[in-house]
Amino acid sequence: MKNFNYKELVVLYEDNQVIVVVKPQNVPSQADESKDMDMLTAVKKYLIDKYNKPGSAYVGLVHRLDRPTGGVMVFAKTSKAAERLSNQIKNGEFEKEYLCITCGVPKDKTGTLVNYLAKDEVNNKVSVVPMATEGAKKAILHYEVLESFGGFSLIKVKLETGRSHQIRVQLSFIGCPLFGDVKYGANEKSKGFNLALWATKLTFIHPVSKEKQTFMVYPPVEENPWKQFEINKEMQVGSIASSYAFHREAELIKDFLPDD
């Protein structure tokens, strides 16, 4: 992937309190040791340019997406908005939904996964561990299998907690690693593809108006493995307050057929 330029930032919504944007895959949520352009810096540069601000601009990072994950994010433009959005996350009022494609089909069509996770900071890898493990954090997600074929599944996930690598680790633990996620056990055929995980839907209460706002972003439906599934049907565009179809330009990989 080429280096992300803040001038390419896709803005779904903006007012005096919040800005809702699309995070491309493989872009960090905030600055890291790679020194690659990150979302927090990109939003700041966007606001400085747009409003001709001298110096810096306030942008509050209230939630994160793992680097390989793309999709919808909201940033706060004031400290008050940041505090109120952060409180919503703590109180479970901040809702995040994802679509992912797994190598494997869960035994149950719907379910709730509850595990304790611990992160190996040196290797940047998370594992399911016993509850009593030092530093273990409880992780809860709810899932629904939308489609399955050829040993692959399109799954909708709603997070109740926001742990590092949570969806990747918990689904891998039940024998369904994410497509493209060789780190957590995906089959070799998916190696070299982007991680099939996309933050499709974000719902929060506006920090000032108190109105409930929902934003939805399509995954890259022209790419494999997404184009093998009926994404348009599953997104249910008519049921949301705001929608934005986002198709990232990419060279399409042809003749992909999963093994039976």
Side-chain angles (χ1 to χ4, degrees):
M1 175 183 171
K2 67 175 184 176
N3 289 334
F4 178 57
N5 189 314
Y6 74 93
K7 293 183 179 180
E8 302 169 349
L9 187 70
V10 176
V11 178
L12 305 181
Y13 174 82
E14 181 186 355
D15 61 23
N16 290 334
Q17 302 296 322
V18 300
I19 179 169
V20 182
V21 300
V22 178
K23 176 188 172 304
Q25 290 185 282
N26 303 314
V27 174
S29 291
Q30 63 184 127
D32 61 17
E33 60 185 14
S34 72
K35 308 299 183 185
D36 293 338
M37 175 60 72
D38 62 279
M39 291 303 296
L40 182 61
T41 301
V43 173
K44 286 182 179 181
K45 287 181 176 292
Y46 164 84
L47 294 175
I48 290 169
D49 270 9
K50 181 176 180 179
Y51 298 106
N52 296 313
K53 288 180 175 288
S56 189
Y58 178 87
V59 180
L61 179 70
V62 296
H63 71 118
R64 297 171 179 81
L65 293 177
D66 290 341
R67 181 171 182 143
T69 307
V72 59
M73 291 186 73
V74 60
F75 291 84
K77 292 176 63 178
T78 67
S79 57
K80 176 168 52 176
E83 180 182 5
R84 292 179 177 177
L85 288 173
S86 295
N87 286 336
Q88 288 181 42
I89 293 173
K90 293 177 184 176
N91 298 331
E93 301 170 315
F94 191 93
E95 301 176 14
K96 296 180 286 184
E97 289 188 8
Y98 297 75
L99 284 181
C100 63
I101 296 173
T102 62
C103 301
V105 181
K107 181 178 68 174
D108 300 315
K109 184 174 176 61
T110 61
T112 296
L113 303 181
V114 182
N115 302 105
Y116 286 83
L117 307 181
K119 186 172 185 178
D120 178 348
E121 297 290 349
V122 175
N123 296 307
N124 190 31
K125 191 169 183 179
V126 178
S127 301
V128 173
V129 297
M131 180 175 62
T133 302
E134 183 178 357
K137 295 181 179 180
K138 191 175 185 179
I140 305 172
L141 68 75
H142 311 280
Y143 74 86
E144 178 185 359
V145 179
L146 303 176
E147 295 180 55
S148 294
F149 79 94
F152 296 84
S153 298
L154 175 67
I155 297 178
K156 178 171 70 176
V157 173
K158 184 173 182 179
L159 287 182
E160 194 168 314
T161 58
R163 309 303 184 197
S164 180
H165 299 187
Q166 179 178 343
I167 296 173
R168 301 165 64 184
V169 176
Q170 288 192 275
L171 288 177
S172 176
F173 190 68
I174 64 168
C176 298
L178 270 56
F179 187 95
D181 198 4
V182 178
K183 184 172 191 174
Y184 287 106
N187 66 39
E188 288 294 320
K189 188 164 188 178
S190 70
K191 187 175 183 179
F193 288 83
N194 279 327
L195 181 70
L197 177 61
W198 194 264
T200 53
K201 188 175 179 181
L202 184 63
T203 300
F204 58 89
I205 299 168
H206 190 277
V208 173
S209 71
K210 307 303 181 185
E211 294 179 353
K212 193 171 188 177
Q213 295 186 308
T214 298
F215 299 91
M216 188 164 73
V217 178
Y218 277 73
V221 295
E222 294 176 351
E223 295 182 18
N224 277 310
W226 299 102
K227 69 178 184 178
Q228 306 297 325
F229 294 88
E230 296 185 51
I231 303 296
N232 285 335
K233 181 184 74 173
E234 305 302 352
M235 292 288 282
Q236 299 178 340
V237 173
S239 66
I240 63 170
S242 277
S243 65
Y244 182 88
F246 178 69
H247 303 284
R248 185 167 61 80
E249 291 184 3
E251 179 180 357
L252 298 182
I253 302 171
K254 298 180 180 179
D255 300 324
F256 170 81
L257 288 173
D259 291 329
D260 290 332

